[in-house]
Amino acid sequence: QVQLVESGGGLVQPGGSLRLSCAATGITLSIYAMGWYRQAPGKQRESVAVIRSTGSTSYADSVKGRFTISRDNAKNMVYLQMNSLNPEDTAVYYCGAGSGTMLAPPYWGQGTQVTVSS
């Protein structure tokens, strides 16, 4: 049974940082592409960052230069370092595992709330 569990969300002031973690069980993480996604109230879920099994990464324009996705295959973990957070980053953040375009990966976590507010 595949399980993805996110952690690390919380309340942070504008300009602050958070590091999200995604722990994967039931899959061999190294062969999957992994992605971080977010959904703000009243908005559709959007892709934030993707890291391929090769290690190559891609980011949404809105987070380029501020967010960094990384993976530790030995620990079956994926991370999202978020810096210079602003209120527009407030959302529930999800990790996903899959392949191909990663537009709709088959495996999802339950999400972790990130709130950026003063």
Side-chain angles (χ1 to χ4, degrees):
Q1 180 181 358
V2 178
Q3 191 171 19
L4 304 177
V5 179
E6 302 94 337
S7 61
L11 174 64
V12 63
Q13 291 188 339
S17 298
L18 280 176
R19 188 195 194 205
L20 304 183
S21 300
C22 174
T25 57
I27 58 172
T28 301
L29 202 64
S30 60
I31 66 173
Y32 284 88
M34 297 296 297
W36 283 98
Y37 303 77
R38 67 186 181 187
Q39 187 167 18
K43 295 187 177 181
Q44 289 188 332
R45 187 176 300 186
E46 63 174 350
S47 175
V48 174
V50 173
I51 184 166
R52 301 287 173 181
S53 57
T54 58
S56 65
T57 59
S58 58
Y59 298 90
D61 288 343
S62 58
V63 307
K64 279 181 182 176
R66 300 189 298 124
F67 290 11
T68 303
I69 188 171
S70 61
R71 63 194 299 160
D72 185 334
N73 291 333
K75 294 182 178 180
N76 253 25
M77 296 288 294
V78 179
Y79 306 99
L80 185 69
Q81 178 66 43
M82 306 186 295
N83 299 327
S84 301
L85 286 161
N86 59 62
E88 289 71 37
D89 297 314
T90 295
V92 178
Y93 284 71
Y94 301 87
C95 70
S99 60
T101 64
M102 289 295 285
L103 293 177
Y107 305 116
W108 290 98
Q110 83 289 347
T112 185
Q113 176 71 47
V114 171
T115 302
V116 184
S117 175
S118 55

